[in-house]
Amino acid sequence: MAPHLNIVPSMFVLLLLFISASKVQSDAFDVVAKFGAKADGKTDLSKPFLDAWKEACASVTPSTVVIPKGTYLLSKVNLEGPCKAPIEINVQGTIQAPADPSAFKDPNWVRFYSVENFKMFGGGIFDGQGSIAYEKNTCENREFRSKLPVNIRFDFVSNALIQDITSKDSKLFHINVFACKNITLERLKIEAPDESPNTDGIHMGKSEGVNIIASDIKTGDDCISIGDGTKNMVIKEITCGPGHGISIGSLGKFQNEEPVEGIKISNCTITNTSNGARIKTWPGEHGGAVSEIHFEDITMNNVSSPILIDQQYCPWNKCKKNEESKVKLSNISFKNIRGTSALPEAIKFICSGSSPCQNVELADIDIKHNGAEPATSQCLNVKPITSGKLNPIPCSGPVPKTPSATA
């Protein structure tokens, strides 16, 4: 069932790219020394940052934009390619967004567009200052939410390495990866309060060869969420929690969604989250396909739903509850998953009645309920393939007529 993933070669190519680029003397474009930026937390960094980027991007030799230590106010910036040579950003300081959500008219704060051979590093912080936005972001206030910015967007970026960066208190998603190819995000820190709405740590869609490695994510929504069109992806060595876990989806909400395939999530620790390893699709709505999804070697600590396939995903009770999901799920495995569940239902497979889950595998599972009751496992429209030690016993619990909603 394991897919053939071309992840290791792509990571090797990235490593060679940046090693070879480092052998060439990189031109430095310091936003303070050369472009007049002020690290006073009040003067807008937008023009110095953009001017430095444009000059570096036009260089025919490898170049580095440097943001020195200090605190900078940044209204917004759109950093576009293509560039003439490999380009880096060394972020050492703290970059703060305007705290007032009304300062934004579209969902962009820091955006990279159409850039190839790119690296960002330096230990710096992107602070979205989202506390005011959290208070106003309710499910009824859609117009307000549509204008909230993502902290960092990567759109149509290829051959990129993002290392040692912190995203803090984003007003919406922290990092969004869209239509990217061969991009690695490594040693990131993502943090927001556990009650902050829609603050997914890393969300991606229509991308191939994405790697998320050795990162710490604490947020109010999915630590990592994987949207349609994502292929050949590796997630490993992640600590997640608080939050909603690591999720494939939600899917099936919109027309013409592209398949999700070839995703491996391994060696992760998930703590005090509402969900753990999850796949979620909407009932009714539209079709789609999910295949070759593999969760392995994961530790669960007090997770409400450690292992979950939810094809009746219906947050806020706004969906076609009486219809079956049209998204087809196949070749999915959960292996060597251990730890504790905050609720008795440690494993829930709620699959579509019109398109039952195919080739779902459970192997070496040991999840204990933290309470007095034993852990249970629920199965609807699926017959899992099992092996190794299994606790709870697969499909041992009754499925309620109306399965409980998940966030």
Side-chain angles (χ1 to χ4, degrees):
M1 289 173 62
H4 178 68
L5 303 181
N6 293 317
I7 301 300
V8 173
S10 68
M11 293 176 67
F12 183 66
V13 169
L14 276 175
L15 181 61
L16 288 179
L17 169 70
F18 291 114
I19 289 174
S20 61
S22 66
K23 292 180 179 178
V24 180
Q25 183 61 43
S26 175
D27 294 329
F29 298 83
D30 189 312
V31 297
V32 174
K34 190 172 182 180
F35 296 91
K38 294 181 180 179
D40 58 7
K42 298 182 293 184
T43 305
D44 193 356
L45 178 64
S46 294
K47 188 177 187 305
F49 195 179
L50 184 58
D51 288 348
W53 172 268
K54 286 180 176 179
E55 195 166 322
C57 189
S59 173
V60 295
T61 59
S63 56
T64 302
V65 175
V66 179
I67 301 176
K69 291 183 178 180
T71 301
Y72 304 83
L73 174 67
L74 175 67
S75 57
K76 68 179 297 183
V77 69
N78 189 38
L79 305 171
E80 296 188 9
C83 298
K84 294 185 178 179
I87 186 169
E88 300 178 342
I89 298 181
N90 182 351
V91 182
Q92 302 169 11
T94 296
I95 302 173
Q96 293 183 329
D100 187 351
S102 66
F104 295 91
K105 305 304 178 186
D106 58 54
N108 298 310
W109 180 39
V110 178
R111 181 180 185 238
F112 297 92
Y113 177 80
S114 189
V115 183
E116 187 176 3
N117 302 334
F118 169 64
K119 181 179 179 181
M120 184 163 65
F121 63 102
I125 299 171
F126 290 86
D127 183 357
Q129 299 205 97
S131 59
I132 297 174
Y134 304 154
E135 297 173 3
K136 297 181 179 180
N137 185 4
T138 63
C139 59
E140 293 81 14
N141 201 349
R142 293 185 179 181
E143 184 177 355
F144 173 79
R145 185 167 61 250
S146 69
K147 296 177 181 178
L148 292 176
V150 171
N151 260 12
I152 308 171
R153 283 187 181 272
F154 299 102
D155 295 339
F156 300 93
V157 172
S158 61
N159 300 331
L161 180 61
I162 315 301
Q163 284 183 325
D164 302 310
I165 294 294
T166 294
S167 176
K168 179 183 177 183
D169 294 342
S170 182
K171 294 177 176 66
L172 202 69
F173 294 178
H174 284 263
I175 296 173
N176 193 81
V177 177
F178 176 77
C180 293
K181 189 170 184 179
N182 297 339
I183 179 170
T184 294
L185 301 102
E186 185 176 22
R187 300 194 300 268
L188 303 187
K189 290 185 179 180
I190 296 174
E191 51 190 45
D194 59 1
E195 70 274 11
S196 56
N198 305 117
T199 53
D200 293 46
I202 303 171
H203 177 77
M204 72 226 51
K206 294 179 171 59
S207 296
E208 183 170 2
V210 178
N211 309 294
I212 305 174
I213 302 169
S215 296
D216 183 18
I217 305 174
K218 299 177 173 68
T219 189
D221 210 298
D222 292 327
C223 292
I224 299 171
S225 56
I226 299 165
D228 78 293
T230 304
K231 299 179 180 180
N232 297 339
M233 177 182 186
V234 164
I235 298 169
K236 65 179 181 179
E237 299 166 18
I238 304 300
T239 57
C240 164
H244 294 179
I246 298 175
S247 297
I248 311 295
S250 60
L251 298 168
K253 180 70 172 174
F254 304 103
Q255 287 186 340
N256 303 317
E257 290 185 353
E258 297 177 15
V260 174
E261 58 189 24
I263 314 296
K264 183 175 181 180
I265 300 104
S266 64
N267 297 103
C268 298
T269 300
I270 303 177
T271 303
N272 293 329
T273 57
S274 56
N275 306 287
R278 172 168 67 156
I279 301 172
K280 51 180 175 174
T281 74
W282 290 79
E285 303 298 345
H286 305 285
V290 177
S291 64
E292 302 296 354
I293 311 297
H294 304 286
F295 295 92
E296 297 182 10
D297 303 320
I298 297 176
T299 299
M300 305 284 183
N301 297 315
N302 197 46
V303 174
S304 295
S305 295
I307 297 175
L308 175 62
I309 294 176
D310 183 5
Q311 293 210 263
Q312 296 180 6
Y313 178 69
C314 185
W316 322 298
N317 291 319
K318 293 184 178 180
C319 64
K320 299 176 181 178
K321 279 189 171 182
N322 296 324
E323 297 186 22
E324 299 290 344
S325 175
K326 297 180 176 67
V327 180
K328 297 180 180 180
L329 308 186
S330 63
N331 299 340
I332 298 161
S333 67
F334 302 88
K335 296 182 178 180
N336 194 29
I337 299 179
R338 304 172 184 279
T340 58
S341 171
L343 299 175
E345 301 84 6
I347 301 174
K348 290 199 290 187
F349 291 155
I350 310 301
C351 293
S352 170
S354 60
S355 182
C357 299
Q358 299 294 319
N359 296 329
V360 175
E361 183 178 357
L362 281 170
D364 299 310
I365 308 296
D366 188 9
I367 301 174
K368 298 177 176 65
H369 177 217
N370 273 336
E373 303 172 56
T376 63
S377 169
Q378 300 175 353
C379 298
L380 180 65
N381 303 314
V382 62
K383 294 180 179 179
I385 303 163
T386 62
S387 62
K389 179 182 177 181
L390 296 169
N391 177 43
I393 298 170
C395 310
S396 56
V399 179
K401 290 184 178 180
T402 306
S404 57
T406 60

